[in-house]
Amino acid sequence: MILTLQCYRCGADYEYVGTSPHPGQCQACGSPCVPPAGSLSVLNSAHWESANGLSKVWVYALDERDRPFEFEVAAQGNRGKLVALRVDGISVTPQVDETLETLPPAVKTELADAGIERIDPNTPKQSK
């Protein structure tokens, strides 16, 4: 299997060749701010909702390398948008990588349980 990965910190693109989950570390800068290694397991979630229908959901998960991920989704009704991401305790701008438009299945399931059925895509930052 060949995976194309992008570091959320330095922006480096690189490939991982192997059958096990990737090492969970950027080959260029050593940052743990790379996509989940293998599948994610949801540990728990928190949900906040205002009287006017606005809400936020925080989903806490671990990848197969035991790196913690925190997804923060803001929503109105059943539509949400990823507004913040923390990987191994480090904040990452969700717009940095277009692959973040597709949230991992375990996170989508947790959001659906909170009533958020549609996730609007983030617009990647344009380089000049």
Side-chain angles (χ1 to χ4, degrees), residues 21-39:
H22 65 82
Q25 191 172 19
C26 175
Q27 292 178 352
C29 72
S31 171
C33 294
V34 296
S39 60

PDB file of all heavy atoms in Angstrom, residues 21-39:
ATOM      1  N   PRO A  21       0.098   0.793   9.866  1.00  0.00           N
ATOM      2  CA  PRO A  21      -0.110   2.238   9.903  1.00  0.00           C
ATOM      3  C   PRO A  21       1.219   2.987   9.792  1.00  0.00           C
ATOM      4  O   PRO A  21       2.236   2.530  10.315  1.00  0.00           O
ATOM      5  CB  PRO A  21      -0.757   2.481  11.264  1.00  0.00           C
ATOM      6  CG  PRO A  21      -1.402   1.176  11.612  1.00  0.00           C
ATOM      7  CD  PRO A  21      -0.494   0.124  11.029  1.00  0.00           C
ATOM      8  N   HIS A  22       1.182   4.138   9.119  1.00  0.00           N
ATOM      9  CA  HIS A  22       2.401   4.935   8.970  1.00  0.00           C
ATOM     10  C   HIS A  22       2.921   5.368  10.341  1.00  0.00           C
ATOM     11  O   HIS A  22       2.183   5.299  11.331  1.00  0.00           O
ATOM     12  CB  HIS A  22       2.176   6.124   8.023  1.00  0.00           C
ATOM     13  CG  HIS A  22       1.202   7.146   8.531  1.00  0.00           C
ATOM     14  ND1 HIS A  22       1.562   8.130   9.416  1.00  0.00           N
ATOM     15  CD2 HIS A  22      -0.109   7.358   8.253  1.00  0.00           C
ATOM     16  CE1 HIS A  22       0.513   8.895   9.674  1.00  0.00           C
ATOM     17  NE2 HIS A  22      -0.515   8.445   8.975  1.00  0.00           N
ATOM     18  N   PRO A  23       4.186   5.794  10.423  1.00  0.00           N
ATOM     19  CA  PRO A  23       4.797   6.096  11.723  1.00  0.00           C
ATOM     20  C   PRO A  23       4.180   7.254  12.504  1.00  0.00           C
ATOM     21  O   PRO A  23       4.450   7.413  13.685  1.00  0.00           O
ATOM     22  CB  PRO A  23       6.254   6.421  11.374  1.00  0.00           C
ATOM     23  CG  PRO A  23       6.485   5.783  10.060  1.00  0.00           C
ATOM     24  CD  PRO A  23       5.169   5.810   9.347  1.00  0.00           C
ATOM     25  N   GLY A  24       3.361   8.096  11.873  1.00  0.00           N
ATOM     26  CA  GLY A  24       2.743   9.202  12.602  1.00  0.00           C
ATOM     27  C   GLY A  24       3.681  10.357  12.849  1.00  0.00           C
ATOM     28  O   GLY A  24       3.537  11.080  13.824  1.00  0.00           O
ATOM     29  N   GLN A  25       4.653  10.529  11.960  1.00  0.00           N
ATOM     30  CA  GLN A  25       5.640  11.591  12.111  1.00  0.00           C
ATOM     31  C   GLN A  25       6.090  12.031  10.716  1.00  0.00           C
ATOM     32  O   GLN A  25       6.353  11.198   9.851  1.00  0.00           O
ATOM     33  CB  GLN A  25       6.831  11.061  12.904  1.00  0.00           C
ATOM     34  CG  GLN A  25       7.790  12.105  13.351  1.00  0.00           C
ATOM     35  CD  GLN A  25       8.824  11.501  14.303  1.00  0.00           C
ATOM     36  OE1 GLN A  25       9.033  10.291  14.356  1.00  0.00           O
ATOM     37  NE2 GLN A  25       9.484  12.356  15.044  1.00  0.00           N
ATOM     38  N   CYS A  26       6.185  13.352  10.506  1.00  0.00           N
ATOM     39  CA  CYS A  26       6.619  13.888   9.225  1.00  0.00           C
ATOM     40  C   CYS A  26       8.065  13.495   8.942  1.00  0.00           C
ATOM     41  O   CYS A  26       8.930  13.630   9.809  1.00  0.00           O
ATOM     42  CB  CYS A  26       6.485  15.412   9.224  1.00  0.00           C
ATOM     43  SG  CYS A  26       7.124  16.217   7.740  1.00  0.00           S
ATOM     44  N   GLN A  27       8.314  13.018   7.733  1.00  0.00           N
ATOM     45  CA  GLN A  27       9.670  12.641   7.350  1.00  0.00           C
ATOM     46  C   GLN A  27      10.580  13.855   7.191  1.00  0.00           C
ATOM     47  O   GLN A  27      11.786  13.740   7.347  1.00  0.00           O
ATOM     48  CB  GLN A  27       9.647  11.843   6.047  1.00  0.00           C
ATOM     49  CG  GLN A  27       9.008  10.495   6.197  1.00  0.00           C
ATOM     50  CD  GLN A  27       8.936   9.730   4.886  1.00  0.00           C
ATOM     51  OE1 GLN A  27       9.228  10.251   3.819  1.00  0.00           O
ATOM     52  NE2 GLN A  27       8.553   8.469   4.971  1.00  0.00           N
ATOM     53  N   ALA A  28       9.995  15.032   6.900  1.00  0.00           N
ATOM     54  CA  ALA A  28      10.809  16.228   6.673  1.00  0.00           C
ATOM     55  C   ALA A  28      11.165  16.962   7.969  1.00  0.00           C
ATOM     56  O   ALA A  28      12.322  17.309   8.184  1.00  0.00           O
ATOM     57  CB  ALA A  28      10.082  17.181   5.716  1.00  0.00           C
ATOM     58  N   CYS A  29      10.161  17.197   8.839  1.00  0.00           N
ATOM     59  CA  CYS A  29      10.421  18.023  10.029  1.00  0.00           C
ATOM     60  C   CYS A  29      10.275  17.272  11.351  1.00  0.00           C
ATOM     61  O   CYS A  29      10.573  17.822  12.406  1.00  0.00           O
ATOM     62  CB  CYS A  29       9.516  19.255  10.013  1.00  0.00           C
ATOM     63  SG  CYS A  29       7.761  18.912  10.350  1.00  0.00           S
ATOM     64  N   GLY A  30       9.772  16.035  11.310  1.00  0.00           N
ATOM     65  CA  GLY A  30       9.632  15.251  12.529  1.00  0.00           C
ATOM     66  C   GLY A  30       8.370  15.546  13.333  1.00  0.00           C
ATOM     67  O   GLY A  30       8.152  14.951  14.381  1.00  0.00           O
ATOM     68  N   SER A  31       7.512  16.448  12.854  1.00  0.00           N
ATOM     69  CA  SER A  31       6.293  16.806  13.573  1.00  0.00           C
ATOM     70  C   SER A  31       5.308  15.645  13.596  1.00  0.00           C
ATOM     71  O   SER A  31       5.188  14.892  12.631  1.00  0.00           O
ATOM     72  CB  SER A  31       5.640  18.012  12.890  1.00  0.00           C
ATOM     73  OG  SER A  31       4.358  18.258  13.441  1.00  0.00           O
ATOM     74  N   PRO A  32       4.540  15.515  14.691  1.00  0.00           N
ATOM     75  CA  PRO A  32       3.487  14.511  14.732  1.00  0.00           C
ATOM     76  C   PRO A  32       2.210  14.984  14.032  1.00  0.00           C
ATOM     77  O   PRO A  32       1.215  14.262  14.006  1.00  0.00           O
ATOM     78  CB  PRO A  32       3.243  14.324  16.238  1.00  0.00           C
ATOM     79  CG  PRO A  32       3.551  15.665  16.815  1.00  0.00           C
ATOM     80  CD  PRO A  32       4.710  16.190  15.983  1.00  0.00           C
ATOM     81  N   CYS A  33       2.229  16.192  13.471  1.00  0.00           N
ATOM     82  CA  CYS A  33       1.042  16.784  12.853  1.00  0.00           C
ATOM     83  C   CYS A  33       0.847  16.285  11.426  1.00  0.00           C
ATOM     84  O   CYS A  33       0.969  17.022  10.443  1.00  0.00           O
ATOM     85  CB  CYS A  33       1.126  18.306  12.884  1.00  0.00           C
ATOM     86  SG  CYS A  33       1.059  18.958  14.548  1.00  0.00           S
ATOM     87  N   VAL A  34       0.554  14.995  11.321  1.00  0.00           N
ATOM     88  CA  VAL A  34       0.273  14.343  10.045  1.00  0.00           C
ATOM     89  C   VAL A  34      -1.060  13.610  10.196  1.00  0.00           C
ATOM     90  O   VAL A  34      -1.547  13.431  11.315  1.00  0.00           O
ATOM     91  CB  VAL A  34       1.419  13.390   9.630  1.00  0.00           C
ATOM     92  CG1 VAL A  34       2.706  14.160   9.379  1.00  0.00           C
ATOM     93  CG2 VAL A  34       1.650  12.315  10.654  1.00  0.00           C
ATOM     94  N   PRO A  35      -1.669  13.175   9.092  1.00  0.00           N
ATOM     95  CA  PRO A  35      -2.959  12.495   9.185  1.00  0.00           C
ATOM     96  C   PRO A  35      -2.907  11.281  10.109  1.00  0.00           C
ATOM     97  O   PRO A  35      -1.833  10.737  10.389  1.00  0.00           O
ATOM     98  CB  PRO A  35      -3.230  12.066   7.731  1.00  0.00           C
ATOM     99  CG  PRO A  35      -2.479  13.063   6.907  1.00  0.00           C
ATOM    100  CD  PRO A  35      -1.232  13.350   7.699  1.00  0.00           C
ATOM    101  N   PRO A  36      -4.082  10.851  10.558  1.00  0.00           N
ATOM    102  CA  PRO A  36      -4.129   9.688  11.440  1.00  0.00           C
ATOM    103  C   PRO A  36      -3.431   8.469  10.841  1.00  0.00           C
ATOM    104  O   PRO A  36      -3.530   8.206   9.649  1.00  0.00           O
ATOM    105  CB  PRO A  36      -5.635   9.422  11.596  1.00  0.00           C
ATOM    106  CG  PRO A  36      -6.272  10.746  11.350  1.00  0.00           C
ATOM    107  CD  PRO A  36      -5.411  11.408  10.317  1.00  0.00           C
ATOM    108  N   ALA A  37      -2.716   7.764  11.685  1.00  0.00           N
ATOM    109  CA  ALA A  37      -2.057   6.514  11.296  1.00  0.00           C
ATOM    110  C   ALA A  37      -3.050   5.396  11.547  1.00  0.00           C
ATOM    111  O   ALA A  37      -3.427   5.124  12.686  1.00  0.00           O
ATOM    112  CB  ALA A  37      -0.787   6.304  12.115  1.00  0.00           C
ATOM    113  N   GLY A  38      -3.514   4.772  10.481  1.00  0.00           N
ATOM    114  CA  GLY A  38      -4.535   3.741  10.616  1.00  0.00           C
ATOM    115  C   GLY A  38      -5.880   4.368  10.933  1.00  0.00           C
ATOM    116  O   GLY A  38      -6.146   5.514  10.587  1.00  0.00           O
ATOM    117  N   SER A  39      -6.719   3.625  11.598  1.00  0.00           N
ATOM    118  CA  SER A  39      -8.050   4.139  11.921  1.00  0.00           C
ATOM    119  C   SER A  39      -8.028   4.866  13.263  1.00  0.00           C
ATOM    120  O   SER A  39      -7.118   4.694  14.066  1.00  0.00           O
ATOM    121  CB  SER A  39      -9.059   2.997  11.947  1.00  0.00           C
ATOM    122  OG  SER A  39      -8.697   2.058  12.921  1.00  0.00           O
TER     123      SER A  39
END
